[in-house]
Amino acid sequence: MTADFRRLELPYVPSDTRSCDSAGSQRVVVGAGPVGLTVAIDLVTQGVDVVLLDEDHRLSSGSRAICFAKRTLEIWDRLGCGARMVEKGVSWNVGKVFFGDEQIYAFDLLPDSGHLRPAFINLQQYFCEGFLYEHGTALARLEMRWRNKIIGIAQSDDGVTLSVDTPDGPYSLHAEYVVACDGSRSSIRRHMGLESKGTLFRDRFLIADIRMKAEFPAERWFWFDPPFHRNQSVLLHMQPDNVWRVDFQLGWDADPEVEKTPEKVIPRIRELLGPDAEFSLDWVSVYTFACQRMEKFRHGRVIFAGDAAHGVSPFGARGANSGVQDADNLAWKLRLVLEGRAPERLLDTYGAEREFAADENILNSTRSTDFITPKSKASRIFRDAVLRLAKDHPFARRLVNSGRLSVPAILRESVLNTTDVDKFEGGMVPGAPAMDAPIRTNGRPGWLLSMTGGEFMVIVFAGRSPLDRLVVESLESLRTDCIPVLSIVVIAADAHESRPRGVECVEDCEGLVARRFDAQPGTCYLLRPDQHVCGRWRQFDADLIRAAVARATCNEPSQG
């Protein structure tokens, strides 16, 4: 049975019952939202001791972020949390766009088969945080401290000293590194005198989570100028436990406090559902949003992630999903630096890669907002003309923007990539997250991504041909390098006789692995610990792989 996470009080542990903080430097994560919990769990899973601080003693009070993308689910799968999220969440792939009272078109975000996870699930943030919290409590290396509020921060060459207030009074905590995941009003950012800059949009939106039993499908429905809310927009989503999310555009002149009252909210919902609809209010909020980010995400030994580093409008579900991808990008790099197997400048690539991703999200979010809320009469005329054309003309649908939904950033220009020297087709370019596909291992069905992550991984495609003995020996030797490279050999479904001994083999049972990776016999890919491609070749060469690993960890001799 799932706990009632909205009423769960998290345990405060008095300071005199904890291990002495002066015994040595800690690795500290501040903020126990989805991003902070994810980065803490990821670090601990990779063998790093972590102290997680949060000033509250409860999880999220409202639904807040509800749309979690396929890539986010794959990250949580790697950490052992994904299945529970999907089991509780509402899976969906289809969205529909309406103009007035007419459906203009529908789209499918995952039209092809052969994926373990859906394009999105809808799951209230308190469930997401609750599942991560329960997963974290089982990890011996993770210490979670509730009602621990940051009241000061000082940084030196050898670490960071945090001043922390608790019900028992203040104390100091020395950290080698601090990961600040403490939200859009980040206290760490404020205490360091840093800013997040961008654009504030002059509009207000009402979020109403309602409980009702309805026959609507598990789809994303977006209305432009519906008859029940003229000249504005409305968004409808299904959540678990008969909870439905409705977003109403209100306009800049709306009074937030008045609009949150039941007397204002209930009539709006009745206009949408009909006068006889039975429902109850579960959570209501009015928000104004901004697209903004910090100039730099890394400041010495303090590293910012999630809403503390960047913020976008909610249309497109790019906030929490981008934050979880921040965690995915950072954890393996910080682990290698802490272990002394990579120089500290590897952490600068977290900033460069995730600042690029933030800019991409901000661009898409800004375009969505401009389309949803036209700023002039001319832009409104253009938008409405596009919507009318979109019903019958596919080209116009590409111009409709009800929120370009979250996709992972492709880090094409990352300095960690090894540039292609061979010709490839398709989307598995250096910098892209690897795509999943069904496989079979020792006769048991499975999924490719479940075999990867946490360490560098080379995928060798053998097809139906026996793998050369020297290649097998080289794969075995890569495992013993200072930075180990694990390996998978992908063979064709009917190539049992060519299965090499001494290496992990998987069968490409539907041919989708080779198709998605544009693989031929001999092709090999190198994946980073966060499952992003960092190099690929048409023929296996251990020296090239070692050079690519050195590049991906900033250990190249030319870099000093």
Side-chain angles (χ1 to χ4, degrees):
M1 183 176 177
T2 302
D4 187 350
F5 292 121
R6 288 183 294 178
R7 292 177 173 80
L8 180 66
E9 290 199 13
L10 305 170
Y12 168 71
V13 178
S15 57
D16 59 1
T17 66
R18 296 196 306 257
S19 60
C20 181
D21 289 322
S22 62
S25 292
Q26 306 279 6
R27 292 79 181 230
V28 175
V29 176
V30 179
V35 179
L37 284 161
T38 298
V39 73
I41 291 169
D42 202 346
L43 285 167
V44 168
T45 301
Q46 298 189 56
V48 178
D49 293 335
V50 173
V51 174
L52 177 65
L53 307 180
D54 195 280
E55 65 182 61
D56 206 348
H57 66 292
R58 293 183 183 275
L59 302 175
S60 174
S61 60
S63 294
R64 299 183 184 275
I66 65 166
C67 293
F68 297 103
K70 179 176 179 286
R71 180 60 197 149
T72 298
L73 300 175
E74 291 167 349
I75 293 167
W76 285 335
D77 278 337
R78 178 172 60 78
L79 301 179
C81 310
R84 197 174 180 195
M85 305 281 190
V86 176
E87 287 166 5
K88 182 65 178 178
V90 174
S91 297
W92 64 276
N93 298 323
V94 173
K96 292 178 179 176
V97 177
F98 301 83
F99 184 37
D101 57 1
E102 184 178 21
Q103 179 180 321
I104 301 300
Y105 68 94
F107 57 87
D108 190 338
L109 294 168
L110 200 65
D112 57 331
S113 60
H115 297 275
L116 173 61
R117 297 307 183 201
F120 282 88
I121 64 166
N122 288 346
L123 182 70
Q124 293 93 322
Q125 187 169 321
Y126 49 80
F127 283 124
C128 168
E129 292 179 5
F131 295 155
L132 290 168
Y133 163 73
E134 290 187 342
H135 188 76
T137 58
L139 302 175
R141 290 178 176 269
L142 177 56
E143 179 185 352
M144 291 184 272
R145 300 183 185 180
W146 308 101
R147 301 177 73 183
N148 277 240
K149 181 179 181 179
I150 305 300
I151 56 174
I153 183 170
Q155 189 169 183
S156 62
D157 291 340
D158 66 343
V160 183
T161 300
L162 295 170
S163 299
V164 187
D165 196 19
T166 74
D168 294 322
Y171 71 96
S172 294
L173 178 61
H174 190 73
E176 286 182 85
Y177 288 93
V178 172
V179 184
C181 308
D182 52 343
S184 59
R185 297 184 177 90
S186 170
S187 61
I188 297 283
R189 195 177 64 221
R190 184 178 69 254
H191 288 304
M192 293 180 68
L194 302 171
E195 292 183 300
S196 202
K197 297 180 180 179
T199 302
L200 175 71
F201 292 93
R202 293 173 60 84
D203 209 336
R204 303 189 197 278
F205 288 80
L206 168 74
I207 292 178
D209 279 358
I210 60 176
R211 288 190 181 271
M212 66 173 181
K213 292 184 179 181
E215 300 301 321
F216 302 132
E219 299 172 346
R220 179 187 194 264
W221 288 5
F222 194 101
W223 286 269
F224 292 94
D225 193 15
F228 52 83
H229 194 55
R230 280 297 181 196
N231 299 313
Q232 306 285 14
S233 63
V234 177
L235 175 64
L236 178 68
H237 266 296
M238 180 194 293
Q239 302 177 65
D241 298 340
N242 295 318
V243 176
W244 294 77
R245 162 71 59 83
V246 191
D247 283 41
F248 291 95
Q249 183 185 359
L250 298 176
W252 181 245
D253 295 330
D255 185 320
E257 296 306 315
V258 172
E259 294 294 343
K260 285 191 292 187
T261 62
E263 293 78 11
K264 293 288 287 186
V265 175
I266 290 173
R268 291 192 189 281
I269 295 171
R270 290 208 181 280
E271 286 290 319
L272 166 63
L273 300 177
D276 300 324
E278 296 183 3
F279 62 89
S280 62
L281 297 180
D282 195 65
W283 179 68
V284 176
S285 180
V286 173
Y287 62 90
T288 300
F289 52 82
C291 287
Q292 57 191 15
R293 75 166 175 90
M294 298 177 68
E295 182 179 359
K296 297 293 181 183
F297 293 177
R298 182 190 175 203
H299 291 263
R301 290 177 176 264
V302 181
I303 303 165
F304 291 83
D307 286 352
H310 49 77
V312 293
S313 71
F315 295 109
R318 291 174 177 267
N321 287 294
S322 180
V324 171
Q325 290 164 40
D326 291 347
D328 184 48
N329 187 291
L330 174 62
W332 68 273
K333 297 175 179 176
L334 183 54
R335 185 252 301 183
L336 288 178
V337 171
L338 289 168
E339 292 174 346
R341 292 193 287 162
E344 196 173 276
R345 63 177 173 270
L346 180 61
L347 299 177
D348 291 331
T349 70
Y350 161 78
E353 290 181 346
R354 296 313 299 167
E355 288 155 16
F356 165 79
D359 286 341
E360 188 174 83
N361 284 320
I362 288 170
L363 176 63
N364 280 283
S365 187
T366 300
R367 287 173 173 171
S368 298
T369 304
D370 288 342
F371 193 87
I372 292 167
T373 60
K375 305 301 185 294
S376 67
K377 183 178 179 180
S379 59
R380 177 65 179 257
I381 291 170
F382 170 80
R383 188 202 72 178
D384 291 356
V386 166
L387 289 168
R388 292 187 185 96
L389 285 169
K391 181 181 179 182
D392 300 312
H393 301 284
F395 84 87
R397 295 170 193 170
R398 294 193 294 270
L399 301 175
V400 175
N401 197 332
S402 63
R404 294 278 189 266
L405 287 151
S406 175
V407 294
I410 298 176
L411 309 171
R412 294 177 186 269
E413 304 303 319
S414 173
V415 297
L416 304 187
N417 295 340
T418 293
T419 305
D420 283 339
V421 293
D422 301 314
K423 184 177 180 180
F424 284 87
E425 302 293 337
M428 288 297 91
V429 299
M435 291 183 68
D436 208 0
I439 57 170
R440 204 162 41 233
T441 308
N442 298 322
R444 297 189 304 272
W447 295 90
L448 178 67
L449 287 186
S450 70
M451 309 285 291
T452 72
E455 301 287 352
F456 282 89
M457 174 73 70
V458 61
I459 303 176
V460 180
F461 290 85
R464 294 178 177 83
S465 306
L467 207 60
D468 186 275
R469 179 179 58 84
L470 293 177
V471 173
V472 174
E473 292 174 357
S474 294
L475 291 174
E476 292 173 344
S477 72
L478 287 168
R479 297 177 66 92
T480 63
D481 285 356
C482 175
I483 298 178
V485 180
L486 308 184
S487 59
I488 299 173
V489 175
V490 179
I491 63 174
D494 57 353
H496 304 288
E497 293 78 10
S498 66
R499 183 187 300 270
R501 295 180 179 179
V503 292
E504 186 79 53
C505 288
V506 301
E507 296 176 30
D508 190 2
C509 51
E510 297 181 18
L512 281 177
V513 183
R515 194 180 315 156
R516 287 174 178 165
F517 284 75
D518 184 32
Q520 306 161 4
T523 295
C524 67
Y525 278 71
L526 180 65
L527 306 186
R528 305 183 339 182
D530 58 5
Q531 300 170 322
H532 281 248
V533 175
C534 60
R536 57 182 179 171
W537 306 266
R538 284 301 180 192
Q539 294 297 324
F540 175 86
D541 187 316
D543 290 337
L544 292 177
I545 290 170
R546 287 190 170 98
V549 171
R551 183 176 183 84
T553 56
C554 293
N555 277 310
E556 281 186 315
S558 62
Q559 296 181 4

